[in-house]
Amino acid sequence: MAGGVGAAKFVRGLALTVDQRRLDVIVNTGDDETFYGLYVSPDLDTITYTLADVVNRGPGWGLAGESFNALGALTRFYGKPWFGLGDKDLATHLYRTDRLRQGASLSRVTAEIARRFGVRASVMPASDDQVRTFVKVKGLPTMPFQQYFVKRRFRGAVETIELKGVATASPCPAALRSIRQAAAVIIAPSNPFVSIGPIVGIKKLREALRSARDRVIAISPIVGGKSVKGPADRMLRGLGHEVSPLAIARLYRDLAGTFVLDNIDAKYLEPVRGLGMRAIAADTVMATAERAASLASVVLDSLAR
Ligand code: GDP
């Protein structure tokens, strides 16, 4: 189960460890947004581009070797852009929007896009229904996730996070089937509130995870008292949690039987075990593809122990 850039690093490691065809990646759509009338699914695209090995490695999103001519030309009509959409990337959004308008489901279109990029893993949204993440920051009205994350660069103290539509969303059938049948279900090191929250907030997926708990492994996105990147630490603090892997483990204790934290946080192994989870320490900072692959091996081996 995956959000965007953090998850994609892990998924890449996994794809180097097991045959891509054995992987189902269930992806967050709470960050989806419409720009210039185009339906943009940032996390789905980040996962797809990463698995296709065409991602822009620096930022970890978008396509390698992009130009931004169309975005520049759009400034004439829409003013200064704050969301980066490259020229080649726009083709993906045009295709997705066109197919959705024709009545295809998001899961169908996602599979089509992945196939056209040569991805052999199954990439799927958690739901074909609309789930949208909104963030309330101190002193400001509630805003859609991308405004908080990209436009405002996640400044400010987070007061609430709202996942609109999650309570009534149905899971994508393939996602439900996958959780029920997979040898291992891995919650990638993603933001627990805004990346994994919109997935596990879907009732049937949550129930399926609970039933599969012994096969579910979660990896901490908090390392050494902070996020490796992004606002997960601020969100934990703002929502009244401590900023530690233990706080993440508490969020997942019902869903995951095994929890992986970083070697640097080994002191939390026993407290995590105290929550009734198996706990493992590993090198979780995926600075290279090789390190991501060894983390993937550790995670998969943990079930065999
Ligand atoms: P993003 O917001 O698009 O990056 O998507 P995600 O929600 O998938 O990933 C964000 C989370 O991944 C953040 O909380 C990061 O701390 C975490 N993260 C990013 N890179 C790494 C890494 O190499 N190791 C670990 N353990 N966590 C990471």
Side-chain angles (χ1 to χ4, degrees):
M1 291 189 290
V5 178
K9 285 198 259 175
F10 180 75
V11 170
R12 182 156 164 250
L14 208 48
L16 292 170
T17 311
V18 295
D19 188 332
Q20 265 204 36
R21 285 170 295 193
R22 296 184 62 198
L23 297 179
D24 294 340
V25 193
I26 304 172
V27 183
N28 169 44
T29 56
D31 306 2
D32 289 10
E33 188 55 274
T34 305
F35 294 102
Y36 316 109
L38 300 177
Y39 188 106
V40 179
S41 293
D43 286 355
L44 282 168
D45 291 343
T46 294
I47 296 293
T48 299
Y49 295 168
T50 301
L51 282 169
D53 210 12
V54 293
V55 77
N56 187 359
R57 290 269 172 84
W61 54 266
L63 287 160
E66 268 291 18
S67 52
F68 290 86
N69 295 313
L71 199 63
L74 284 161
T75 305
R76 186 190 305 279
F77 306 110
Y78 293 91
K80 199 166 173 282
W82 53 266
F83 196 88
L85 296 170
D87 294 329
K88 291 191 287 184
D89 188 28
L90 277 169
T92 304
H93 311 311
L94 281 164
Y95 180 74
R96 177 187 293 116
T97 308
D98 186 31
R99 291 289 289 127
L100 290 172
R101 280 202 196 117
Q102 288 167 11
S105 65
L106 183 60
S107 49
R108 171 96 190 258
V109 183
T110 300
E112 290 171 359
I113 293 171
R115 197 175 63 240
R116 303 290 163 92
F117 273 97
V119 171
R120 284 166 302 140
S122 299
V123 181
M124 60 191 82
S127 175
D128 282 323
D129 299 333
Q130 187 168 299
V131 177
R132 286 293 172 277
T133 302
F134 288 81
V135 181
K136 166 87 181 76
V137 168
K138 193 172 179 198
L140 291 172
T142 299
M143 61 189 116
F145 180 77
Q146 295 301 349
Q147 274 190 38
Y148 161 75
F149 189 63
V150 178
K151 193 173 186 186
R152 288 193 41 85
R153 293 169 205 238
F154 48 91
R155 285 190 305 270
V158 174
E159 290 181 335
T160 53
I161 294 167
E162 195 185 342
L163 307 175
K164 284 194 182 152
V166 78
T168 51
S170 298
C172 170
L176 192 57
R177 209 166 37 243
S178 178
I179 293 174
R180 288 182 177 153
Q181 296 175 355
V185 181
I186 305 167
I187 301 179
S190 284
N191 187 306
F193 302 109
V194 297
S195 289
I196 302 301
I199 304 174
V200 303
I202 298 169
K203 190 163 172 267
K204 283 198 173 152
L205 291 185
R206 199 173 176 85
E207 286 168 359
L209 281 167
R210 281 208 184 103
S211 306
R213 188 178 181 274
D214 286 348
R215 295 180 279 121
V216 181
I217 309 144
I219 306 162
S220 178
I222 296 292
V223 176
K226 53 183 172 48
S227 317
V228 176
K229 185 182 121 331
D233 46 7
R234 289 183 200 196
M235 290 182 172
L236 281 164
R237 207 172 292 119
L239 300 175
H241 303 271
E242 64 177 53
V243 183
S244 76
L246 180 60
I248 305 290
R250 282 195 191 109
L251 295 172
Y252 293 146
R253 67 186 294 185
D254 291 352
L255 311 176
T258 304
F259 190 74
V260 182
L261 48 74
D262 196 86
N263 285 324
I264 204 174
D265 293 315
K267 67 175 179 198
Y268 290 106
L269 283 170
E270 278 314 312
V272 170
R273 288 177 187 138
L275 298 174
M277 301 168 98
R278 296 197 300 162
I280 294 167
D283 181 4
T284 71
V285 179
M286 298 171 284
T288 61
E290 290 69 33
R291 286 171 82 173
S294 17
L295 177 60
S297 298
V298 169
V299 168
L300 293 175
D301 289 348
S302 75
L303 282 189
R305 277 193 220 168

